[in-house]
Amino acid sequence: DTGVSQNPRHKITKRGQNVTFRCDPISEHNRLYWYRQTLGQGPEFLTYFQNEAQLEKSRLLSDRFSAERPKGSFSTLEIQRTEQGDSAMYLCASSLGLAGAHTGELFFGEGSRLTVL
Amino acid sequence: SQQGEEDPQALSIQEGENATMNCSYKTSINNLQWYRQNSGRGLVHLILIRSNEREKHSGRLRVTLDTSKKSSSLLITASRAADTASYFCATAPWGQLTFGSGTQLTVLP
């Protein structure tokens, strides 16, 4: 399968614990995005990488959230000291785009569903 | 706040009927995209229409764009039960795709 891969698919954790999600994008894609989606809503943008550089972070992304993309390949999204409000689906997407070019089609993974008890 | 807003929020039709969903957005765009999401799954890109295009077709999908009214519509013809899903429009006013809250389409067999 050469699509976007996300792990784990489901994570249940207790409030206050740290969690980490991993995203493996389509190999030739240089852009990688993280979105968060709650029930009945559309995806909300969290952050975006062009290769290994994190170019944009949403104001939704509190200090408890950190994302990395070492070597411009896979990415991790860590949430520290989880809160019940962090319960959501975390979606990763990738695309191929030149720096400064407008955003084209995104290829999404199946998401990682987080439940904070 | 979200850039695009879909209307209606929910739509239920019989198999074989056409389904029309609308999207309104607030700022100027380079392109507008439609995505589909089955329950509990990731989003799948359906179609992209550029700001200088007025209409685009892909199989049973027809998308229109009216930049003067800042609106778009997605028409699915001859709907099937398998078309049951949430449909989102997305625009990139600041470079990153911003999604609306979606239309939940239910196609009854």
Side-chain angles (χ1 to χ4, degrees):
Chain A
D1 188 339
T2 57
V4 178
S5 177
Q6 292 190 245
N7 288 288
R9 290 291 312 279
H10 303 274
K11 178 72 176 179
I12 300 174
T13 190
K14 292 182 180 179
R15 188 177 54 185
Q17 298 295 305
N18 299 344
V19 296
T20 300
F21 301 114
R22 176 180 170 124
C23 172
D24 288 271
I26 293 172
S27 58
E28 60 267 29
H29 285 181
N30 57 347
R31 293 184 177 183
L32 187 147
Y33 306 80
W34 285 99
Y35 284 83
R36 178 172 66 189
Q37 185 179 27
T38 53
L39 198 63
Q41 299 297 313
E44 295 176 301
F45 171 75
L46 292 179
T47 190
Y48 147 63
F49 292 84
Q50 177 97 21
N51 299 312
E52 67 276 8
Q54 188 173 18
L55 296 188
E56 190 172 338
K57 290 172 62 173
S58 166
R59 281 171 286 185
L60 292 175
L61 213 64
S62 76
D63 292 343
R64 297 184 298 105
F65 288 69
S66 63
E68 294 182 343
R69 193 184 182 196
K71 303 177 184 177
S73 56
F74 72 92
S75 176
T76 58
L77 177 68
E78 181 184 17
I79 308 173
Q80 296 182 327
R81 304 181 303 281
T82 53
E83 302 172 355
Q84 288 183 324
D86 296 332
S87 295
M89 175 80 89
Y90 289 85
L91 293 162
C92 176
S94 69
S95 72
L96 186 62
L98 298 174
H102 288 278
T103 304
E105 174 184 356
L106 297 191
F107 293 79
F108 281 84
E110 295 288 13
S112 293
R113 181 168 295 284
L114 173 65
T115 301
V116 181
L117 302 176
Chain B
S1 63
Q2 293 176 305
Q3 158 76 336
E5 289 300 331
E6 293 87 347
D7 171 63
Q9 289 187 324
L11 179 61
S12 184
I13 59 174
Q14 294 293 135
E15 204 165 26
E17 294 180 340
N18 296 342
T20 299
M21 288 159 270
N22 302 297
C23 168
S24 59
Y25 58 92
K26 297 175 184 173
T27 65
S28 61
I29 60 171
N30 173 265
N31 66 64
L32 185 142
Q33 303 178 36
W34 285 90
Y35 287 79
R36 163 197 169 122
Q37 184 179 35
N38 285 19
S39 182
R41 308 293 297 273
L43 282 79
V44 175
H45 181 266
L46 294 176
I47 197 165
L48 180 154
I49 186 166
R50 302 190 189 285
S51 59
N52 61 354
E53 297 176 309
R54 291 296 168 259
E55 187 171 313
K56 199 163 184 179
H57 296 255
S58 177
R60 293 184 296 113
L61 305 181
R62 172 178 170 254
V63 169
T64 62
L65 179 64
D66 187 335
T67 53
S68 66
K69 295 181 179 178
K70 291 186 169 57
S71 68
S72 173
S73 68
L74 171 67
L75 169 67
I76 304 174
T77 60
S79 63
R80 306 165 181 169
D83 294 329
T84 294
S86 293
Y87 292 82
F88 297 93
C89 68
T91 59
W94 307 287
Q96 311 321 321
L97 275 190
T98 303
F99 291 82
S101 52
T103 292
Q104 172 61 52
L105 173 66
T106 302
V107 181
L108 302 170

